[in-house]
């Protein structure tokens, strides 16, 4: 059933009784043209675009738990395309454009809210670094504005301008950035892919990658062997574990990133704001909770939780930036597992093994990339050649030196 | 530094302009804390030369009458002696800088000796609420079952590096922080000490050496 | 039996009530409130009276106020459901102005004199709330309706739909002003941490305390005792409350036991780390003088005993959210602890024996028990008899199917086993549907609870070592088992910590029966049957989620928002799971639970930050000349943690550029002094000191003689530049290395890594001396003349004896030991003089005095930066982690014949690509134009695009020496393009000018000034 | 998280900074090959389970430590001085 106000009202009269499952809970077939491992946002988007853009529908998405059970449902919902390096810029702008048309495309309201992303700066050097980034964005046709202190005050008058340890001097604003209701992205893509014939197989854990003559032929799963011409990994957080099934070692570590939400309150802030003198970023959900986060805990982890040192660091950043937060209460904090890559940028590439494709290394920026990652990964799987917007995300760039290191932190994943 | 310096330069205390002497915080009653500002202490880092720790131990004992403290401990007599600060590393304490003369020479080939007399700001924390007060900033267990006179910890105080050693069971502690952080350390101290009421004092001037 | 007088209405607005008399629902005696201490408070502007010991909720109920708030989505009238921290409904805004606290649970807010509270999420008033029309549209507003709507036209989402939704959502209003209160933090360590001071927790603490263990006992309540305060129980022949008081007294007498009431253990972290929040001043109008509002405890415990109790479960039936419908345990709490009758005529809806306890309590307090409806088909005869004895109607195998009333309960609709329906008048309905152990804390370490079929509840699963759950929190619901499991766990925890202990004998308790058959929802009910009260999630929403495939518990939660409100589903989660289990035909055990996350109850953000806010967010480091700089009115700038003087304006200099130009000109013409103490300084000694320097630095040092310094460049192992600095050789095996201000700590850590991990065989002793030495750059043609005024006679610092890059130990000011380095960042004849930091202030003043005859100026970081740009020295903007030594013009100095960190990786193809942007200088073609760092370079005439991007301007300065702006930047093949022009394109600042590529060395390219 | 520094005792993880996997050994010397260096710098096993890793007690004794920790549970089973581990590795190489 197509979603619309009319259909919802119609169902209201019928006690909402005629709705069907939003996606088919499929039983795996013996063989597929392509198997996508990972039923998160990226995997589901990949399946959707494989079907929509390339007409490949004999596809299964294998999810060890349920749809959207990974990072797509654990992030701070921010979307933006304010990158500074040529390898990243076209890709994230592709993503932003796909976000802008997403709801009509998949007939699902993921609440794409272009409320702006404001990165604050606190020194001349930081201002210049933001100008450098903003200028690169503008050259690529992306909106970017460099605000001075008064410009920032006009948007967020409640932050600490007068007593700050690191006074706010201005900000880089991308008005088209914003937030998206994270879970809805997974559900919307699941429904849209399922409608196009993709099998979404939940509770199906991949336990092995079967190869014959150096070529992938399928995957062993908790629900039996599934033959596939192509196997695509889209399991950020667990990438190394899956890759090791094919004897691959990767330039990736798994780290925990914590996220936080406050109690719901009436609207306080209508943009996404990041602190430039500490690790803190915040926006307010449509339900009223402030959603915020900071730095990763900094150690390898597959546990979806972190520790107090980071929690305090985040809260200190919040209070330093926005002293009015003091009495607002933290409602919940949790952790997600990030694929931290060695240069802080992702990998969308073929692997040395024929038929095995990799979408990984998203650090803590994977959510905003969801549509473009699906779009470009689908292109790679369908055509065996990188999409031009993701051409820089090669696996061999660490050997060739074509690194995409936005922060300049080098080969230390926990610093990106 | 040798005797007989005719310097026109006057040292400035690490606490100068930062720590006001007098009674502060909760008024009335006995103060829960006394913060004594320590000055003019001679400090040097000793790092044992590879494989010479035993020889160092012997020379320190013979020349200074000091024993080399074990991990996490101090060996102090009065205001002089050694404080552990890391594997094969110690802080040598002298009541005055003047007394440090000759240390480098004495330990030649046994330890790298580095003057740190000006690198630290030191305050002695004593009084009935000393433990409760320090527990607000130091993430270490100061309970007498866990930390006693003669023990030292290198740790953080409210995100700032700090070294603390217990002087006596009264209890009294010496708290050493990096000099450039003194202002922020004091900001924390005065906030944390507020509820106890506290006295800030200068240390008694060091008696002139006899003889 | 107490005699009670009940008044019908709340006190009229504005009138000062005769406090006790105004409290129409207060029993005449009884309860643990202090009737000698009446308190006034206001709710929505109306004045009421209560007593010391009340919560806001008990005081409102005492005054007959049942309507307390409006629900999230449908704006339905809501009252008080519970008597504890699990409250989903009775959320208010407490206090006002900058101290306003939205979403405060009235059930845990202690009453104080003058308390102000307001209802929230209603307009214009609580009784007449316009948005209650939402309830009429409830059939449309089913779970997830917004995912299916508001998509057309897309532009309207941000403009119309979202603002409307946002305004309607959220409950209370946060304070906008900075929080005026302070927060404290403290660390605590113990052998045994006991969480919860009910019967199990008290028994545990007693057993551990008696053994001599260090015990911390925390409880979120201000009064210890837990359910012993709420139920009329007997322990060893005395009342449970008396037993609790005695236990507390004994614990208080133990020196190694710390009792923290008003303290919520909110989070469990790895390795015995716990977070707890103590409400030091929240029970008062203002925090006490010299005390914080709250204190965050970070507790480290060897053993932890979870004795947090259990939470009672509501029933799910139509209209179960009407004010007056309460949990049975809460009804008993209000009766027994607070001396308040939640209603005059009480009906009880129960699915187990436990609910029947309410009958005698209501009756004993003088209330009327209208009926007891038990959903089970058989009821113990003694319970029935006891109910009938007080005149209650008993309905077996029946359900409450609906409620009636305008803004509060007036009657319930009941169906009995024969299907016949009746309406029973009552103003309070007590629901008893069993209890859920509080398994939240033991879930924080990712341990999932397991289903216990005997008690129909989730109980703790395998817990981490050193953690045990006791009493109701462990599924042991009877009082006797609480005391028994608590006492045993306390003794065992103490002995695990090395204390001799004995398991105490369990005192005798009055008998009780906990037979129970849970009822996940009433099968035949009318109207919205709420599962999650606060988020307005009804049973029909769970059905819809099931229908649409959101059957996994996490999907159910996220799609319906069940359990995501401020109470995190404490009263609702299990009902949701139970209904889903029914719908899918699975046992609850297979449905599983969602993961409970910290904090247990919401915690103020300010408490986590503690002292670290405002100026104390991070430490501020001061340079040794700071006092002098302040006296001179210097303008300071934050550089990492340091506060450095940026420039020193004279009174007639209103423009910063004017000041900086003067400082630069004075240095270039005469002499200046700059505090460079912020550089990292590392003392390196030992037989292998040179060896480690050779391995960490990319340029060669083997030929560096004693008494000389050399520029040093350090790479990361990936071949990019880590930092630059100098290495001075003070002795054969004694060096001092400097690192940049920004990288000082990083470089020290790197050196320690190399020494301890990569090459532990090296005999090296390294220590930071950054804090020991004040270091001052004295630069300019008259620098030597100036130094002659401070360096003691006997040290020859003539150009011949002390040439460029010389270094030596000297004394200054008459015997103060110092180090002198002839190094230059400005390109002038320059020195860096290091003196012991305590003498830094005096030495600085002495330099200024010595230089006054030579026209000295103090200069700050701005002038320093101008001069380094004039000299083409790379700094932070160029050494930003993305550049190689080759990129910044240092490729030629790298060693060829030694291994060093970064040697191999810097040779990767992309890093030696001749097209890589290279550091060069820039000047505006029109010399009057200003340059901006961050501008991008484009070929003249090229349309802006990423493909056309040739590089970026990294640093700019106005050069007073040249009289125009100059810049450094990285541009493709820059070294081949001197003299050519490009665009410096800076659209974010509306800049677009032509610049000319030139040598990065703008001033004194032959370095004639340096060596004189 | 609490880490038992062999020199300082058990401390909160906030006192430490993390580097990563302790397994890769730097290919030292002029004969080292770029491919080996690439693997050392960039490739990681990244296991879900026991992990030997390098931490630095920066706020304490400034020692680098080798910590055995389970990345699924964060359970720490051993901590030793990195210097000692490195020296014993060298000895192992010689032997």
């Amino acid at each position: 059933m197509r979603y619309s106000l009319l259909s919802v009202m119609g169902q209201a009269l019928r006690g909402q009784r005629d709705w069907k499952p939003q996606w088919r809970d499929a039983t795996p077939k013996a063989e597929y043209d392509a198997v996508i491992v990972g039923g998160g946002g990226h995997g589901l988007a990949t399946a959707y675009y494989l079907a929509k853009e390339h007409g490949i529908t004999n596809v299964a998405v294998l999810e060890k738990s349920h749809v959207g059970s990974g990072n797509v449902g654990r992030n701070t919902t921010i979307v933006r395309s304010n990158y500074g390096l040529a390898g990243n810029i076209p890709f994230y702008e592709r993503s932003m454009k796909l976000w802008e048309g997403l709801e009509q495309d998949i007939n699902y309201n993921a609440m794409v809210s272009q409320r702006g992303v404001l990165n604050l700066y606190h020194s001349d050097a930081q201002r210049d670094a933001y100008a450098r980034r903003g200028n690169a964005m503008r050259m690529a046709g992306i909106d970017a504005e460099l605000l001075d202190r008064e410009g920032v005050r006009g948007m967020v008058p409640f932050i600490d301008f007068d007593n700050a340890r690191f006074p706010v001097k201005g900000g880089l604003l991308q008005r088209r950035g914003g937030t998206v209701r994270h879970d809805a992205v997974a559900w919307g893509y699941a429904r849209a892919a399922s409608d196009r014939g993709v099998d979404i197989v939940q509770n199906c854990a991949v336990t092995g990658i079967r190869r014959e003559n150096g070529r992938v032929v399928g995957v062993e799963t908790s629900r039996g062997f599934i033959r596939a011409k192509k196997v695509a990994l889209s399991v950020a957080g667990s990438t190394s574990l899956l890759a090791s099934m094919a004897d691959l070692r990767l330039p990736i570590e798994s780290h925990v990133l914590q996220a936080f939400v406050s109690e719901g309150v009436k609207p306080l802030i209508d943009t996404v704001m990041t602190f430039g003198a500490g690790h803190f970023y915040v926006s307010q959900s449509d339900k009223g909770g402030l959603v915020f986060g900071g730095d990763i805990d900094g150690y390898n982890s597959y546990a979806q939780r972190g520790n107090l040192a980071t929690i305090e660091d985040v809260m200190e950043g919040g209070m330093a930036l926005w002293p009015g937060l003091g009495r607002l209460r933290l409602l919940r904090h949790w952790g997600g597992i990030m694929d931290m890559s060695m240069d802080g940028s992702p990998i969308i590439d073929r692997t040395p093994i024929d038929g095995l494709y990799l979408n990984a290394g998203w650090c803590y920026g994977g959510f905003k990339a969801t549509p473009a990652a699906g779009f470009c990964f689908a292109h790679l799987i369908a055509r065996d050649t990188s999409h031009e917007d993701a051409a820089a995300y090669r696996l061999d760039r660490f050997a060739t030196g074509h690194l995409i290191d936005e922060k300049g932190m080098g080969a230390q994943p926990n610093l990106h | 530094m040798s005797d007989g310096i005719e310097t026109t330069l006057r040292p400035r205390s690490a606490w100068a302009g930062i720590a006001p002497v007098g009674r502060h915080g909760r008024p009335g009653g006995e103060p829960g804390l006394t913060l004594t500002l320590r000055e003019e202490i001679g400090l040097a880092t000793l790092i044992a030369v590879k494989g010479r720790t035993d020889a160092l131990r012997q020379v320190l004992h013979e020349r200074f009458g000091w024993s080399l403290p074990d991990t996490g401990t101090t060996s102090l007599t009065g205001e002089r002696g050694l404080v552990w600060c890391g594997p094969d590393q110690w802080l040598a304490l002298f009541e005055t800088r003047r007394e440090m003369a000759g240390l480098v020479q004495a330990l030649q080939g046994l330890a790298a000796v580095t003057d740190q007399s000006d690198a630290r700001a030191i305050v002695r924390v004593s009084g009935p609420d000393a433990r409760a007060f320090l527990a607000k900033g130091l993430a270490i267990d100061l309970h007498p079952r866990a930390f006693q006179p003669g023990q030292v910890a290198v740790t953080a105080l409210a995100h700032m590096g700090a070294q603390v050693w217990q002087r006596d069971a009264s209890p009294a502690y010496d708290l050493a922080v990096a000099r450039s952080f003194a202002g922020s350390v004091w900001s924390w101290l005065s906030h944390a000490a507020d509820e106890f009421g506290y006295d800030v004092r200068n240390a008694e001037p060091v008696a002139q050496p006899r003889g | 039996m107490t005699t009670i007088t009940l008044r019908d209405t709340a006190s009229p607005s504005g009138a000062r009530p005769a406090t006790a008399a105004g409290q129409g629902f207060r029993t005449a005696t009884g309860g643990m409130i202090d009737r000698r201490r009446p308190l006034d408070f206001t709710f929505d502007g109306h004045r009421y009276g209560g007593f010391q010991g009340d919560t806001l909720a008990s005081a409102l109920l005492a005054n007959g106020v049942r309507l307390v708030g409006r629900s999230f989505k449908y704006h339905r009238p809501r009252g008080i459901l519970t008597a504890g921290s699990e409250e989903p409904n009775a959320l208010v805004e407490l206090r006002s102005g900058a101290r306003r606290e939205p979403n405060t649970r009235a059930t845990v807010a202690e009453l104080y004199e003058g308390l102000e509270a307001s209802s929230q999420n209603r307009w214009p008033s609580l009784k007449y709330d316009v948005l209650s029309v939402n309830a009429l549209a409830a059939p449309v507003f089913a779970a997830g309706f917004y995912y299916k709507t508001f998509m057309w036209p897309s532009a309207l989402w941000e403009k119309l739909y979202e603002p409307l939704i946002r305004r309607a959502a959220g409950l209370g209003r946060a304070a906008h002003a900075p929080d005026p209160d302070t927060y404290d933090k403290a660390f605590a360590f113990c052998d045994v941490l006991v969480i919860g001071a009910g019967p199990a927790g008290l028994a545990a603490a007693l057993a551990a305390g008696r053994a001599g263990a260090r015990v911390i006992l925390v409880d979120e309540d201000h009064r210890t005792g837990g359910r012993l305060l709420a139920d009329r129980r007997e322990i060893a022949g005395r009342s449970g409350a008396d037993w609790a008081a005695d236990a507390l007294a004994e614990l208080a007498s133990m020196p190694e036991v710390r009792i923290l009431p008003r303290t919520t253990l909110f989070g469990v972290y790895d390795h015995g780390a716990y977070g707890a929040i103590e409400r030091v001043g929240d029970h008062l109008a203002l925090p006490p003088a010299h005390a914080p509002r709250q204190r965050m405890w970070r507790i480290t415990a060897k053993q932890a005993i979870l004795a947090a109790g259990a939470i009672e479960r509501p029933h799910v039936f139509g209209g179960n959210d009407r004010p007056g419908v309460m949990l049975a345990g809460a009804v008993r709490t209000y009766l027994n602890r607070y001396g308040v009758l939640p209603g005059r005529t009480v009906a009880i809806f129960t699915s187990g024996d436990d609910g029947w306890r309410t009958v005698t309590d209501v009756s004993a307090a003088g209330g009327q028990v209208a009926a007891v409806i038990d959903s089970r088909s058989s009821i113990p005869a003694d319970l029935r008899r006891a109910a009938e004895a007080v005149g209650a109607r008993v309905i077996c195998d029946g359900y409450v199917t609906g409620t009636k009333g305008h803004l509060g309960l007036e009657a319930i609709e009941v169906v009995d086993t024969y299907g016949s329906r009746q309406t029973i008048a009552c103003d309070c309905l007590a629901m008893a549907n069993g209890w859920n152990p509080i398994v939240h804390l033991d879930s924080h370490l990712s341990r999932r609870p397991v289903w216990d079929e005997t008690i129909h509840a989730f109980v703790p699963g395998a817990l981490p070592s050193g953690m045990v759950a006791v009493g109701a929190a462990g599924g042991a619901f009877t009082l006797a088992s609480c005391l028994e499991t608590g006492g045993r766990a306390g003794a065992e925890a103490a002995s695990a910590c090395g204390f001799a202990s004995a398991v105490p004998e369990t005192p005798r308790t009055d008998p009780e029966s906990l037979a129970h058959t849970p009822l996940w929802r009433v099968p035949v009910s009318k109207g919205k049957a709420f599962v999650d009260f606060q988020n307005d999630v009804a049973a029909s929403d769970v059905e819809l989620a099931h229908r649409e495939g959101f059957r996994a518990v996490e999907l159910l939660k996220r799609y319906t928002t069940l359990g995501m409100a401020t109470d995190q589903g404490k009263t609702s989660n299990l009902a949701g799971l139970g209904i889903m289990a029914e719908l899918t035909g699975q046992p609850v055990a297979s449905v599983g639970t969602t993961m409970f996350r910290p904090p247990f109850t919401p915690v103020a953000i300010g408490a986590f930050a503690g002292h670290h806010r405002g100026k104390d967010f991070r430490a501020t480091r001061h340079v040794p000349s700071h006092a002098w700089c302040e006296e001179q009115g210097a303008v300071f700038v934050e550089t990492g943690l340091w506060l450095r003087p940026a420039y020193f304006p004279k009174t007639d200099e209103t423009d910063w550029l004017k000041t900086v130009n003067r400082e630069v000109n004075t240095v270039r013409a005469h002499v200046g002094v700059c505090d460079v103490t912020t550089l990292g300084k590392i003392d390196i000694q030992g037989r292998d000191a040179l060896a480690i320097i050779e391995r960490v630095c990319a340029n060669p040092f083997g030929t560096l003689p004693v008494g000389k310094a050399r520029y040093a460049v350090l790479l990361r192992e990936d071949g990019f530049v880590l930092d630059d600095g100098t290495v001075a050789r003070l002795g054969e095996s004694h060096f001092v290395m400097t690192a940049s201000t920004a990288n000082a700590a990083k470089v020290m850590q790197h050196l320690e890594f190399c020494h301890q991990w990569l090459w532990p065989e090296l005999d090296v002793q390294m220590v930071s001396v950054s804090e020991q030495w004040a270091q001052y750059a004295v630069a300019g043609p008259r620098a030597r003349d100036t130094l002659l005024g401070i360096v003691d006679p006997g040290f020859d610092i003539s150009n011949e004896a002390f040439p460029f890059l010389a270094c030596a130990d000297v004394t200054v000011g008459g015997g103060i030991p110092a180090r002198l380095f002839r190094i230059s960042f400005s390109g002038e004849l320059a020195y860096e003089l290091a003196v012991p930091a305590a003498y830094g202030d005096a030495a600085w003043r002495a330099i200024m005095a010595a230089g006054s005859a030579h026209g000295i100026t103090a200069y700050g970081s701005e002038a320093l930066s101008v001069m380094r740009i004039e000299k083409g020295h790379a700094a932070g903007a160029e050494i930003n982690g993305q550049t190689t030594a080759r990129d910044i013009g240092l490729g030629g100095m790298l060693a060829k014949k030694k291994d060093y960190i970064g040697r191999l990786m810097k040779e990767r193809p992309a890093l030696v690509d001749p097209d890589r942007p290279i550091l060069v200088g820039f000047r505006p073609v029109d010399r009057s134009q200003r340059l901006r760092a961050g501008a991008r370079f484009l070929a003249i005439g090229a349309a802006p695009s990423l493909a056309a991007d040739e590089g970026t301007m990294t640093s700019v300065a106005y050069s007073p020496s040249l009289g125009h702006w100059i810049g450094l930047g990285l541009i493709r093949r820059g070294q081949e393009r001197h003299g050519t022009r490009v665009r410096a394109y800076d659209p974010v600042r509306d800049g677009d000018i032509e610049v000319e590529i030139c040598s990065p060395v703008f001033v004194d390219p032959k370095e004639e000034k340096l060596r004189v | 998280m609490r880490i038992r520094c062999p020199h300082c005792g058990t401390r909160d993880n906030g006192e430490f900074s993390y580097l990563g996997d302790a397994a890769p050994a730097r290919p030292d010397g002029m004969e080292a090959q770029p491919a080996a260096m690439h693997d050392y710098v960039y490739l990681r096993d990244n296991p879900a389970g026991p992990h030997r890793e390098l931490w630095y007690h920066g706020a304490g004794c400034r020692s680098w430590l080798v910590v055995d920790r389970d990345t699924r549970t964060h359970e720490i089973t051993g901590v030793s001085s990195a210097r000692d581990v490195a020296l014993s590795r060298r000895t192992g190489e010689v032997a």
Side-chain angles (χ1 to χ4, degrees), chain A residues 41-292:
Chain A
H42 283 218
L44 294 164
T46 304
Y48 171 69
Y49 292 113
L50 268 177
K52 181 186 177 222
E53 302 291 330
H54 306 281
I56 302 174
T57 56
N58 184 24
V59 172
V61 176
L62 307 184
E63 167 55 47
K64 71 176 170 190
S65 179
H66 55 266
V67 156
S69 54
N71 291 333
V72 72
R74 293 174 194 281
N75 58 79
T76 46
T77 78
I78 299 167
V79 300
R80 57 187 172 88
S81 58
N82 58 356
Y83 283 73
L85 297 181
N88 281 327
I89 290 171
F91 175 83
Y92 286 101
E93 181 58 7
R94 159 80 60 183
S95 214
M96 184 55 78
K97 292 222 167 82
L98 288 168
W99 284 124
E100 287 170 332
L102 183 73
E103 286 142 359
Q104 283 74 19
D105 188 23
I106 63 173
N107 180 229
Y108 206 92
N109 186 1
M111 305 182 200
V112 176
S113 172
Q114 293 182 285
R115 55 182 72 181
V117 171
L118 175 64
N119 303 127
L120 300 174
Y121 62 77
H122 308 262
S123 69
D124 291 355
Q126 215 173 8
R127 175 201 61 211
D128 293 341
Y130 279 158
R132 177 177 181 169
R133 198 207 292 188
N135 285 334
M137 292 163 64
R138 292 279 285 268
M139 290 205 296
I142 302 169
D143 70 306
E145 294 165 53
L146 195 67
L147 303 186
D148 62 10
R149 193 176 151 93
E150 291 315 304
V152 171
R153 201 192 288 275
M155 288 185 71
V156 284
F158 44 80
I159 63 173
D160 192 351
F161 287 95
D162 303 320
N163 187 43
R165 172 69 182 81
F166 300 101
V168 175
K169 295 196 166 183
L172 180 69
L173 173 66
Q174 186 187 20
R175 291 192 192 271
R176 288 165 61 239
T179 61
V180 179
R181 169 81 182 103
H182 56 2
D183 288 323
V185 175
W187 304 336
Y189 273 123
R191 174 170 168 267
S194 183
D195 282 353
R196 286 177 183 269
V198 169
D199 276 359
I200 293 166
V201 186
Q202 302 178 103
N203 301 308
C204 180
V206 171
T207 54
I209 296 173
R210 194 185 289 181
R211 287 165 285 165
E212 284 170 12
N213 305 319
R215 194 183 159 81
V216 164
V217 295
V219 288
E220 316 283 354
T221 79
S222 55
R223 297 172 75 169
F225 176 68
I226 300 172
R227 188 165 286 278
K229 297 188 180 73
K230 296 181 175 185
V231 172
L233 304 183
S234 191
V235 289
S238 303
T239 301
S240 297
L241 305 182
L242 271 291
S244 72
M245 295 174 189
D247 301 319
L248 288 178
R249 292 177 83 221
L250 296 173
I252 286 173
E253 291 180 0
S254 294
H255 283 255
V256 60
L257 174 68
Q258 302 194 65
F260 306 84
V261 64
S262 77
E263 292 186 345
V265 285
K266 295 294 178 191
L268 282 177
I269 178 170
D270 56 6
T271 186
V272 181
M273 175 170 66
T274 73
F275 190 24
H279 294 283
F280 182 78
Y281 40 88
V282 62
S283 65
Q284 189 169 16
S285 80
D286 287 347
K287 269 192 74 194
L290 290 186
V291 181
F292 55 99

Side-chain angles (χ1 to χ4, degrees), chain C residues 523-615:
Chain C
V524 283
S525 84
K526 287 186 294 187
K528 284 269 178 205
F530 286 92
V531 178
D532 184 321
F533 292 90
Q534 194 180 136
N535 268 355
D536 274 343
V537 180
S540 56
D541 293 312
V542 179
E543 290 174 348
L544 178 61
H546 173 260
R547 201 172 297 138
E548 296 198 273
F550 295 89
R551 297 174 187 184
V553 287
E554 273 292 338
L555 289 175
L556 167 67
K557 166 184 144 186
R558 288 155 185 267
Y559 192 61
T560 62
T561 75
L562 178 112
M564 295 180 81
T566 65
D567 60 328
Q568 284 213 60
K570 290 189 176 69
T571 55
S572 62
N573 276 343
L574 196 65
L577 303 177
I579 295 169
M580 184 57 81
E582 279 180 12
L583 292 167
T584 54
Q586 291 174 288
V588 177
S590 329
V591 174
T593 64
T594 55
M595 190 59 90
F596 296 105
R597 297 288 186 177
F600 175 65
T601 52
V603 178
I605 290 171
F608 282 99
H611 175 67
H612 300 286
R613 55 197 270 199
K615 293 284 189 202

Side-chain angles (χ1 to χ4, degrees), chain C residues 270-271 298 300 717-718 748-749 752-753 756-761 898-900 903-905 908, chain D residues 1-2 12 17 19 22 26 28-30 32 42 54 56 62-64 74 76 82-83 86 89-90:
Chain C
D270 285 315
H271 311 144
R298 288 187 53 176
T300 305
E717 193 68 277
D718 68 354
M748 185 72 205
Q749 179 176 337
E752 303 265 30
F753 174 78
Q756 295 177 29
W757 179 244
L758 293 184
W759 305 301
E761 69 280 7
K898 65 168 185 179
D899 188 30
Y900 54 87
R903 178 177 68 91
L904 283 171
M905 288 289 95
R908 285 177 284 175
Chain D
M1 185 143 79
R2 297 184 58 81
D12 189 78
S17 46
L19 186 74
R26 182 178 194 269
D28 264 354
M30 296 299 280
Y42 289 110
L54 285 161
Y56 177 60
R62 311 190 65 83
S63 291
W64 280 90
H74 299 167
I76 292 175
R83 184 196 300 255
R89 272 192 189 180
R90 303 237 152 177

